[in-house]
Amino acid sequence: MPHVPVLAEEILSLLEIKPGSIYIDGTLGGAGHSKLILERLGSSGHLYSFDQDGEVIERLKNEAKAHANWTLVHDNFSEIYNYCRQQKIEITGGIVLDLGLSSIQLDDPQRGFSFQHDSKLDMRLNPDADLSADEVVNSYAEKELADLIYKYGEERRSRQIAAAIIKNRPIHSTLKLAELIKTIYARGSHGKTFRIH
């Protein structure tokens, strides 16, 4: 299934792509935005596409070689400034960031993001990163877990979830963690059913 970039026309309109300019796609993912930029850029401009996921870079490496004006950068978009300074690149066009998770990571059971498949807890956007979800779930203190779940998951039952995790350790699979969280909602739902998992 081909990758369909979000808000493609709106983004292209706001970027006002001018041939000969330098652009950055800070979140390469399925390369939807990058390919649209390249179509309008012409051979005199250049596009630098960043992604912290080495598998994404590897998948698009051969395609990028066919474009002399497309450079793939295996790094987080937070390093755009440092990369441009080191490479003496002046961004004359614009930058696009499509923030959030990509279906590339969500659809791969081995990445451990989905509760639709039983797999190891991983959840690293960059598979080479040191810290996995497994390590967090099985080594963080209860308060650290609760704060993390509340801050990044915006989960109002974060303290209950953290306490249940501590009580049921070790947890190494996505389904075990999902089932544990589901029991917390079942206890507090008073007969309600939830349409969203």
Side-chain angles (χ1 to χ4, degrees), residues 13 21 23 44 48 60 72 97-98 118 134 143 158 180:
S13 171
S21 296
Y23 291 85
S44 59
Y48 296 87
L60 292 162
L72 303 182
L97 296 172
D98 179 7
D118 196 20
D134 188 287
K143 183 181 180 334
S158 62
L180 180 68

Side-chain angles (χ1 to χ4, degrees), residues 7-68:
L7 301 170
E9 290 309 314
E10 293 85 349
I11 288 169
L12 291 174
S13 171
L14 290 168
L15 281 175
E16 296 179 348
I17 296 167
K18 297 174 182 69
S21 296
I22 306 293
Y23 291 85
I24 304 277
D25 181 350
T27 47
L28 176 60
H33 293 123
S34 284
K35 289 176 183 178
L36 291 172
I37 292 168
L38 283 168
E39 282 175 16
R40 290 160 176 78
L41 191 55
S43 58
S44 59
H46 203 94
L47 173 65
Y48 296 87
S49 298
F50 284 68
D51 206 296
Q52 64 181 329
D53 188 340
E55 291 176 19
V56 167
I57 299 293
E58 190 62 33
R59 186 173 39 79
L60 292 162
K61 193 165 57 177
N62 288 335
E63 194 171 346
K65 283 180 186 172
H67 298 272

Side-chain angles (χ1 to χ4, degrees), residues 80 97 114 125 136 138 146 159 174 184-185:
I80 290 171
L97 296 172
S114 175
L125 290 174
V136 171
N138 291 295
R159 304 228 177 280
T174 56
I184 290 164
Y185 272 85

